[in-house]
Amino acid sequence: MTEGVESSAEDPTPSAYPQQAGRSRRRAWLVGGLAVLAVLVLVHGLLVETFTVPSGSMQPTLWHGDRIMVGKLHAHDVHRGEVVVFDGTEVFAHPGAAPPTGVAGFLRSVGDAVGIHAGEVLYVKRVIGVPGDTVAVGHDGRLRINGAVQKEPYLPRGMTASTVPFVVRVPAGHVFVLGDNRVASDDSRSHLGDPGGGMVPVDDIVGNVVLRYWPISSWGRLPT
């Protein structure tokens, strides 16, 4: 008597196997696609983000419509001369306004983490003063940081640091920012009389501009 396995009516027919294999492949592709999408979202939200320059306030360094890549990994490790993108909602757009709290604050934090800046007003400017710096422009139109005259080769030819003299001290946890096109820039100078004195909280910095990728003819890193 030979041993064997009896077939039953419930056993799958041979034609069912290709269908099952096809469904398995589709599931594998779907899972793989979702995994790639999740990685891209994380990279975009946590490491880099892209923006379009909205105005001419940074000319000639950046022009209206330029597309830039912003590094977010060391967003709060700020240095003088860096060009940064930051949320100016409370400081520039609505001076003195308190940041959102509760559910609104939580949703904003989540949005920032994945690169969604709904309701925020983003600016791109150059960091001129860091915490502890005394930033001043005298009647000679020259920029001084901690008493030392600064060269600003990124300014348009013949333009002075500021037509309005000022002296400020940058508090802890903040930076003082200016546009390179000083005569057409809404920056820290424009809000010296507002609550906070136009100082941008370091926590509001999205990241520093590491690359201009469009137009192709201007591709490259920015001078600092």
Side-chain angles (χ1 to χ4, degrees):
M1 182 176 180
T2 60
E3 294 182 355
V5 179
E6 295 183 357
S7 63
S8 70
E10 297 180 356
D11 288 341
T13 61
S15 62
Y17 290 110
Q19 296 176 0
Q20 293 174 355
R23 286 195 295 269
S24 298
R25 284 195 295 270
R26 286 193 292 271
R27 282 197 296 268
W29 277 106
L30 178 60
V31 171
L34 291 175
V36 171
L37 180 60
V39 170
L40 291 176
V41 169
L42 287 175
V43 169
H44 182 270
L46 299 178
L47 299 181
V48 297
E49 195 167 351
T50 57
F51 297 93
T52 300
V53 177
S55 72
S57 68
M58 283 296 294
Q59 292 177 197
T61 304
L62 292 171
W63 294 80
H64 185 196
D66 283 358
R67 297 181 184 179
I68 53 178
M69 183 176 294
V70 172
K72 304 174 69 174
L73 190 59
H74 303 291
H76 300 160
D77 182 18
V78 189
H79 302 87
R80 294 191 206 99
E82 288 183 333
V83 178
V84 298
V85 170
F86 61 93
D87 174 19
T89 308
E90 284 84 39
V91 179
F92 287 6
H94 306 290
T101 57
V103 175
F106 172 74
L107 292 177
R108 174 170 165 179
S109 298
V110 173
D112 290 346
V114 296
I116 300 174
H117 301 281
E120 298 179 1
V121 182
L122 300 179
Y123 292 77
V124 55
K125 304 292 179 187
R126 190 180 297 275
V127 175
I128 300 298
V130 296
D133 281 347
T134 296
V135 181
V137 173
H139 291 283
D140 59 358
R142 303 172 73 184
L143 174 69
R144 291 172 173 81
I145 298 178
N146 302 324
V149 175
Q150 305 295 306
K151 295 180 179 179
E152 295 190 276
Y154 40 76
L155 294 183
R157 185 182 300 274
M159 187 174 292
T160 60
S162 177
T163 57
V164 178
F166 65 86
V167 179
V168 296
R169 183 172 177 81
V170 185
H174 293 73
V175 293
F176 186 87
V177 299
L178 297 175
D180 288 355
N181 189 8
R182 301 288 161 81
V183 298
S185 176
D186 178 20
D187 49 38
S188 291
R189 296 169 305 158
S190 309
H191 301 276
L192 292 175
D194 294 335
M199 303 294 172
V200 177
V202 172
D203 289 343
D204 286 349
I205 295 177
V206 176
N208 64 301
V209 180
V210 295
L211 184 74
R212 170 174 36 208
Y213 66 91
W214 189 265
I216 295 297
S217 59
S218 299
W219 186 94
R221 298 179 65 87
L222 302 186
T224 58

